[in-house]
Amino acid sequence: MKIWEKDIHSHNRNREIEEFTSGKDSKLDLLLAPHDVIGTIAHVMMLESIGLLNQKDLEILIKELRHIYIHEILTNNFQMDEGIEDVHSQIEFLLTDRLGKVGKKIHSGRSRNDQILVDLKLFIRTEIKEIVLIVYSFFDLLLQLSEQYKNILMPGYTHYQIAMPSSFGLWFSAYAESLIDDMLLIHTAYRITNKNPLGSAAGYGSSFPLNRKMTTELLGFENLNYNVVYAQMGRGKMERIVTESLASLARTLSKMSQDICLYLSQNYNFISFPDFLTTGSSIMPHKKNPDVFEIIRAKCNRISSLPNEISLIVSNLCSGYHRDFQIIKERFLPVFDELKKCFSIFRYMLNHIVVRKDILREDKYKYLFSVEVVNQLVQKGYSFREAYQKVATDIKNERFKPLKKNFSHSHEGSIGNLCNQEIRDMMRKLINKFDFEIIQKVIERLVYGKNP
Amino acid sequence: MKIWEKDIHSHNRNREIEEFTSGKDSKLDLLLAPHDVIGTIAHVMMLESIGLLNQKDLEILIKELRHIYIHEILTNNFQMDEGIEDVHSQIEFLLTDRLGKVGKKIHSGRSRNDQILVDLKLFIRTEIKEIVLIVYSFFDLLLQLSEQYKNILMPGYTHYQIAMPSSFGLWFSAYAESLIDDMLLIHTAYRITNKNPLGSAAGYGSSFPLNRKMTTELLGFENLNYNVVYAQMGRGKMERIVTESLASLARTLSKMSQDICLYLSQNYNFISFPDFLTTGSSIMPHKKNPDVFEIIRAKCNRISSLPNEISLIVSNLCSGYHRDFQIIKERFLPVFDELKKCFSIFRYMLNHIVVRKDILREDKYKYLFSVEVVNQLVQKGYSFREAYQKVATDIKNERFKPLKKNFSHSHEGSIGNLCNQEIRDMMRKLINKFDFEIIQKVIERLVYGKNP
Amino acid sequence: MKIWEKDIHSHNRNREIEEFTSGKDSKLDLLLAPHDVIGTIAHVMMLESIGLLNQKDLEILIKELRHIYIHEILTNNFQMDEGIEDVHSQIEFLLTDRLGKVGKKIHSGRSRNDQILVDLKLFIRTEIKEIVLIVYSFFDLLLQLSEQYKNILMPGYTHYQIAMPSSFGLWFSAYAESLIDDMLLIHTAYRITNKNPLGSAAGYGSSFPLNRKMTTELLGFENLNYNVVYAQMGRGKMERIVTESLASLARTLSKMSQDICLYLSQNYNFISFPDFLTTGSSIMPHKKNPDVFEIIRAKCNRISSLPNEISLIVSNLCSGYHRDFQIIKERFLPVFDELKKCFSIFRYMLNHIVVRKDILREDKYKYLFSVEVVNQLVQKGYSFREAYQKVATDIKNERFKPLKKNFSHSHEGSIGNLCNQEIRDMMRKLINKFDFEIIQKVIERLVYGKNP
Amino acid sequence: MKIWEKDIHSHNRNREIEEFTSGKDSKLDLLLAPHDVIGTIAHVMMLESIGLLNQKDLEILIKELRHIYIHEILTNNFQMDEGIEDVHSQIEFLLTDRLGKVGKKIHSGRSRNDQILVDLKLFIRTEIKEIVLIVYSFFDLLLQLSEQYKNILMPGYTHYQIAMPSSFGLWFSAYAESLIDDMLLIHTAYRITNKNPLGSAAGYGSSFPLNRKMTTELLGFENLNYNVVYAQMGRGKMERIVTESLASLARTLSKMSQDICLYLSQNYNFISFPDFLTTGSSIMPHKKNPDVFEIIRAKCNRISSLPNEISLIVSNLCSGYHRDFQIIKERFLPVFDELKKCFSIFRYMLNHIVVRKDILREDKYKYLFSVEVVNQLVQKGYSFREAYQKVATDIKNERFKPLKKNFSHSHEGSIGNLCNQEIRDMMRKLINKFDFEIIQKVIERLVYGKNP
C-alpha cells in the first residue's frame, strides 16, 4: 500500500504500472537510505521543537531511527519490502510497523519532494567528499611522477605535428593542474548542493511554523535554499551542475587516456606497461592493447554526456515538481561510483607506467629544436621574423643543424621550472575550503547522540 | 602574406582554401582587437624587462599600440586588411608597416596560441563583467516585483496539477534565488578564466627567460596557468566551462519564459502584457501571442546546447593545440551578446507585466488548501496520516470545505516570510567577490599610462 | 583464462582490472547468446565449405551448437562461467570443453570484432521486429480512438494560446501519422544494420579464402558490408543510427505525453483516467497525478539523448577498432526493452482514456471560431485582409459573435475528413517492406536444420 | 506594419522588441524567397480552382509572382524592405503594393505556419539535391583513388596498435562505402520532407474547401502530410531528421579527417600534401600543419551537434506551433552550405594527396603479418588456438619471422578483392531513387508556364 493511497480498494492498482513507475528505484534507493534516516532525525527533532511531537514520541522515534541506521543500514541488512515504493516509504513503514501510531506523525510539514531533495543533497555531499579524496591522491601521484621524470624529454605536438621539446615532467604536471580547475567546479557544485531544502515540502512550503534554520544547523548545511519554490526548482538543476563538475574531472581523465593510447602505440612508443596490465587480441598474437585506457576514455566520455541528458529531460518543463525528476536518479546515483573507479584504476596503472628515456634520438625529431635556434639568433640580435625566415630557409635547404645541448627553459611552468610546488599549494588551498568534517559531525550528533 | 609563410613563391596558396580556413575569423576577431593590443603591450613591456627589446623600441611600440587602441579601435576605425588572417597578424602587420623592423621583434617568446588565449581571457573577463551587471539589475527587478506582489496568491502546481497555494511574491523571488546559484557558476568560470597563459607559447614554453609573473601582474590576472602544457589544454575547456555557466543563467530565463507562456494562456490567465508587447496571428484576429518569451526560451535553450557542441569538437583530441579550437570561437564570441539581449528584453517585458489579482476565486482551485486543512487537523491532535486519510475521504465524498481565511505560512522562504532580504544579501556578497575594478585599472595603466 | 592469453603465468592479471574492463558485459551479453550461436553455425558451415573444417568436425560442432541454443539458451539455462570474459569466449569455451580440439578450430577466419558485429546485427534485427509490431499495434489503437472520437471538438492551440477548433479525431490521428515518419527511420536503420560484416575479422579481412556471400545468404542478410575496414567502421555508427530511429519514436511518445499531462491538468481538463491509473501525493489528498505519462516522457527524453552520448564516445576516434565501442553496449542493448515498455504501458493507459465531450462550452473558447467567421466573410466577397480587419475590430469592440454551428472542415486531413484510411495504407505499405520472415527462416534452417 | 496588426495605433511597437523577435530572419529569409514564390503560385492556382479567386485575378497574380521570381530573385535584386518581418510578408506586400486589392486575397486558406513549412520543404529538397551531387562526385573520387592505390599496403590498426596489413585501396574505399549508408539516411530525410503541408494552415486546417491534392501535384510532392495537426508537428522534427542525415555525412568526413591528421604526422608519415596546401606556424619554421582537415573535422563535429541543439529547443513542447521553431532556422538554413563547402574543399585536397609507397619497410611493422603466419599454420593442420599459441611464443622468444611475400587476401571486400564495382553499383542504385527531375519540372511549370 502506498502512503498516498486513499482507501484499501484502490490499491489493486495495475502491477505493471507500478513496476513501470517505480523503475529501478528500489535498488538505487538503498544508496539513499542512510541519508534518509539522518534527514528524518533532524526533521523530527525540529517537529518536537515546534510542538508537533512531544518529547517522548521524539525519543522513541530517534531510538528506532538510530537502530535502523546502525544495525540495519550500516550492516547491509536494510532492504526494501515487496511492494514498497521507495526508501522514504520503507522507513516510514518500518517506524509505523514497529512503533505504531507515532510513526504516522513524522511526515508533518514534509513532503517526499523535499525529503528526496535532502537525501540527494546529503548523498552528494558524502560522495563529493570521496571523489575529492581520490582526486587528491591521484593529483599527488601525478606530481610525484612529474618530479620523477622531470628530466626525460619527449616531443611536444601541435596539430599532431612534431613541434617543440616537451618533457614527462611537463606532461604529468599538466594533468595535475587540470584537476585544479576541475576541483574549482566540484567545490562550486558542493556549495550549490549544500543548502537546506527541508521545509519546502512539495515546493510551496507548509502552514506549520517549521524552524528551517534548526534543520539547517542540525544537518550542517552551509545555508538554506530560502525560497521554497526555488528549493524545488533546484531538482534537476542541482544534478546537472554536479554532473557538469564530475564531467570536467572525467574529461581530464579521458584526455590523458587518449594521450596514453597514442603514446603506447608503436608509432609513438613513448611509454609502456607490464604485460599483465595490457590485453591481447583473439587473433593477433603480438598485440598488447591499452584496453584499460580505452575503457576509461569511453566511460569518462559517457559521464560527460550526462549533463546534456539531464537537460533534455528537464528542458521546457515549467516550475513545480514533475515525476520526470525521478528518472534522473537512475543514472545520477551510480555516476559517482563509476568515476571513482576510473580514478582508482588509472592510479593503479600509473603506478606501473614505464617511461622510455631516449625518445628524442629518433631522426624524425630532429627539427624539434628549431624554435630554440630561432631564439638563439634573436638573442644574437636578429629580429624574430628575420630569424624565423633564416631557420625556415635552412630547413628547406637541408642546412639546418639540430641543437640538443645547452637546452634550457627557465620561466615559470616550463620544462626547467615546473612550479610543481605552486601547483600543489593551489590544490591544497582549494581542498581546505571543503568543510568535510561537518559530514562526520552530523552523523555523530544525530546518529550517535554526541554533542557538537 | 601570412606571418608563417616562408617565401614569396608559396603564397599563391589557394584562395578558396584560405577563405575556408579563416572562416568568419576576420569579422569576429574584431571583438578581440582591444584585448590583443592590451596583451601585446604587457608582452613588450616584459620583453624589455628581460632585455629582448631596448627601451627606445619599447617606447615606440607602446606609443603606436596605444594609438591603435584609442584612435582606431575605440573609434571603430580598426579593420582587417584584405588577406590578413587574423587580428593578431593585423596588429603585427600595422606595427611593422608603420614602424619598420622594430615591429618584427614583438613576437619573441610568444606564439599565436598563447596570444589568442590571452585575448580570449581578457575578452571573457570583460564580457562576464557586463553579464554580471545586467543579471544583477534583473535580479533586483525580480525582488522588487516579489515585494510588490507578495500578497497576490496563485495556485502552485506539481505534475501540472493544482497542488497548494503559492504567490507571485514566491514566484518572482524563486527566479531571483535561482540567479544566485547561476552566479556561483559564473564566478567560478571567471576564476578559471582569470589566469595568465602568456609565456606558454605554442604550449611548450619558450627558451627565452620570460617573466610570466610580470605579465600576470600587468594584466591583472589572479594567478598563472603555471604548466605551459596545461595552459594550452585550457583551450576548449575554458570555453566549455564559461558556456556552462552562461547556460545556467540561460536555463533560468528559459524556465521562467515557459512559466510565462503558460500563465499568459487563456487556460491559466494569471498575467498579461499590454497589446503593444504581444504579437498577432496572420489568420486569427483574436490572438495575442507571447512571442518574446518563446524567442527567449528558444534562444536560451540554444545557448544551453553550446557546452555539448564544444564537447563534440574536442572529445578525444589528444593534448596540444589543434586548429579545431578556432571553430569554437564562431559561436562562443557572440554568445555573450545573445544572452545579454535576452536579459535586457526580459527586463523590459517584466516592467510591463500585469498580474491578475483574483485568480483563486475560480472553482477549480477549491482543493488548493486541502493540505492546510490536513495540517489544522494535525495541530488538533490527529497524526499526519490519519488527517490525510480523513481529508481524502471528505474530498471523495464531496464533503470537503475549502479554507481560504486564516491562511498563514510563516517559516523561512514561505509565502508569509519570503526572506527577500536574505536572498539579496547572498547575491550582494557574491557580486562583491568579483574584482572587476582590475579590468579598468589594467586599461588605465597599459593604455593610458597611469600609475597603478 | 582469456582466449588471447599467451601463457599460464600471465593470467594472474589484476582482478580489479578485469572487472573494470569487462564491466557489465557478462550479464548484458546473455542477450546476445542466441545470436552468437547462430552466427557461429553459419561461420563453421562456411569454414567447412572452404576446407578449413572437415565434414565430421562440422557435424559435431553444429550438433553441440544447436544443443546449446535449444536446451540451454532457450530454456534460460545458459550462463557465463566465472572468469569468462564475454559470450563469445563462453561459447568457444563450452565447445572446447565438451568436444576437445575441434572446438579450437572455429575461430579461424574470424575475430571477436566481426563476431560481436554479427551478434549485434542479428540482435538488432530481432529487436526491431518486436518494436515494429508493438508500434503497429499502438498505431492501430490511435486510429481506432481517432475514429471513435472524431466528432468531439477540442480547442487547438498555437503559442499555448487558444487558436482554432481541433478535435480528438485530429489529435489521435496526428500521433498515428507521426509514427509513419518514425517508421521510415526505423526501416532505414534496419537496412543499414542488415548487412553482413562476417569475414571482416579485426577490420582488415583474412588471408583465408572466406566465402562471405555464403554467410550472407545463410544469415539472411540483405547484402554485405563489403569493405572490411568499413564493416568495422560501422561499429558505433550503426548503434547511433539505430538509436536515432528509436529516439524518433520516443519523441513521438514524449510529445503525446506532454499533451496528456496538460490535458489532464485542471486548467485544461480535457481528458481523465480512472483512479486506479493515477497516483496520489504524500501530502495533498486531492491530487491525481499523471505519473505514468511523466515517466514515459522522461524515459523517452532520455532515450533521445542516446545518439549524442554515442557521438561523444566515438567523436574524433580514428578508423579501426577501439575498445570504447564496448561501452556503447551497456546502454544500447537495454534501450529496446525500455522503449517497448513505454509503448506497452502507453497503450494500456489509452485503453482507459476518458474524453470530455463538452469542452468548448466554456466561455474562454468563444473566439475559437474567429477564423471561420473571417472565412465566411471571404466567401461573401471580402478580401482576406479586409475580413481579418473587420473581425479583429469586432473582437476589440466586443461585437464579435461566435459561430458554433454549420461548422465544417472538409479538405484532406481536416476535422471533417481525417483521411485515416490513407494514413493506415501508408503505414501498411511501409510495414510490408520489412522482410521479417527471414529471421524465423534463418533460425529454422541453422538451428533446426530445416531446408530453406 | 505587420500583416497581423489590427489598427494603426498599435504599431508603434517597441523597435527593440521587433528586432529581437525578427532576429536574423530577414537576411536568412532571402534563401527562402524563390520557394515562397513557387509555393504561392501553387496556392493561388488552387484557390482559383475552388472559386476563391476568379481567373482574371489569378492571371494578374501569377504574372507578378513570376516577374518577382525571374527578374528580382534570380537576378539578386530581391530585398526585404525596412520593417517587413519576413519573406512571406514581403512578397504579400509587393503584390498588394503593385496590384492593389487582389494582393490581399492570396492568404485565404493559408497561414504563415504552413507557408513557412512549404518554403522549408522546397528549400530542403533543392539543397539535398545539391548535397547528393557533391557527395556522389566525392564518392567517385574515393573509388578512383582506391583503384589507383590498391596495391599500396599500409598498416591496419586496432586500439591505435599496429594490427594487420591494410592498404590504401581498402582505406579510400571504406569511406566510399560509408557514404552509402549516409546516403540511405539522406534519402529517408528527403522522403519525410517531400510531403505537402499546404492546407494545414495554423495547424488545424481551414473551413475553405481547399484542394490539397492539387497543390501536392503542382508542387511535385510525393504525398501529403495528411493530418493537419501532424503537418505542423513536423516542424522541428523535420529539421532534426534532416540534420541527423547531414550529420551522418559530416561524421564520415570528420573521421576521415582524423585519419588524415594522424597519417600526416611525422609519427605515421603515410601521406603528404604539397606545401601550398598546408599551413605554417608563427614560431616553428619546420611545421606543415594539416589545418584544412582540422577545420573540416571541427566543422563536421559542429554539424553533428545540430540535432541535439534542435532537440533541446523542442523537448517537452506540447503540440501546436510555437515561435521557438523560428530560432531553429538560424542554424538550419546555413548548414547545407557549410557541409557542401567541406565536401568541396576535401575533394580539392584529395586531388593532391601524395601516398607513400614503402611504409611497411619500417622495422616497427614487422609483426603486422603474424596473423597470416597463424593462418598458414592452420592451413597446415594446426587448430587455430594451437597456431595462435605457437606464434605468440615465437614472438615472445624473438623467433618470429615476418612474412611479406605470398601475401594474398582474396575474399570479398579484402585487400585483394576490393569489390569497388559492387560498392559503386549500390550507390548508383540509391542515387537513382531520388526523383530530382521533379524539382526542375515544378519550376518550369509554375514559373515558366510550361506544360508538364
Side-chain angles (χ1 to χ4, degrees), chain A residues 42-43 45-52 108-109 196 198-200 206 208-219 224, chain B residues 410-412 417:
Chain A
H43 179 63
M45 283 177 166
M46 186 277 291
L47 285 184
E48 189 266 350
S49 81
I50 61 169
L52 283 174
S108 300
N196 186 19
L198 218 52
S200 64
S206 168
F208 291 123
L210 306 173
N211 185 344
R212 298 186 64 204
K213 292 206 168 145
M214 179 177 172
T215 50
T216 301
E217 197 268 334
L218 285 173
L219 294 168
L224 283 77
Chain B
S410 63
H411 63 71
E412 292 91 349
N417 182 10

Side-chain angles (χ1 to χ4, degrees), chain A residues 4 6 13-14 107 110 276 279-283 291 294 297 302 309 323-324 330-331 348, chain C residues 4 13-14 107 110 276 279-283 287 291 294 297 302 309 323-324 330-331 348:
Chain A
W4 41 262
K6 285 121 205 165
R13 213 164 151 253
N14 187 279
H107 209 58
R110 186 169 78 164
F276 73 100
T279 311
S281 152
S282 70
I283 58 170
D291 292 43
E294 294 174 285
R297 183 174 61 195
R302 189 170 60 183
E309 178 180 319
R323 186 77 187 264
D324 311 57
E330 290 186 13
R331 290 197 61 217
Y348 180 85
Chain C
W4 41 263
R13 213 167 150 251
N14 187 280
H107 208 59
R110 188 169 77 163
F276 75 99
T279 311
S281 152
S282 70
I283 59 167
K287 295 282 291 300
D291 292 44
E294 294 173 286
R297 184 174 60 196
R302 189 170 60 183
E309 178 180 319
R323 186 78 187 264
D324 312 58
E330 292 187 12
R331 290 197 61 216
Y348 180 84

Side-chain angles (χ1 to χ4, degrees), chain B residues 4 6 13-14 107 110 276 279-283 291 294 297 302 309 323-324 330-331 348, chain D residues 4 13-14 107 110 276 279-283 287 291 294 297 302 309 323-324 330-331 348:
Chain B
W4 41 262
K6 285 123 208 165
R13 212 165 151 253
N14 187 280
H107 209 58
R110 187 169 77 164
F276 75 98
T279 312
S281 152
S282 70
I283 59 167
D291 292 43
E294 294 174 286
R297 184 174 61 195
R302 189 169 59 183
E309 179 181 317
R323 186 78 188 265
D324 311 58
E330 292 187 12
R331 290 197 62 215
Y348 180 85
Chain D
W4 41 263
R13 213 165 150 253
N14 188 279
H107 209 58
R110 187 169 78 163
F276 74 100
T279 311
S281 151
S282 70
I283 59 169
K287 295 283 290 299
D291 293 42
E294 294 174 285
R297 184 173 61 194
R302 189 169 59 183
E309 178 180 319
R323 186 77 187 264
D324 311 57
E330 291 186 13
R331 291 198 62 218
Y348 180 86

Side-chain angles (χ1 to χ4, degrees), chain D residues 76-88:
Chain D
N76 291 320
N77 292 313
F78 182 82
Q79 280 187 320
M80 303 287 287
D81 286 340
E82 179 73 23
I84 297 286
E85 204 177 10
D86 53 32
V87 73
H88 325 303

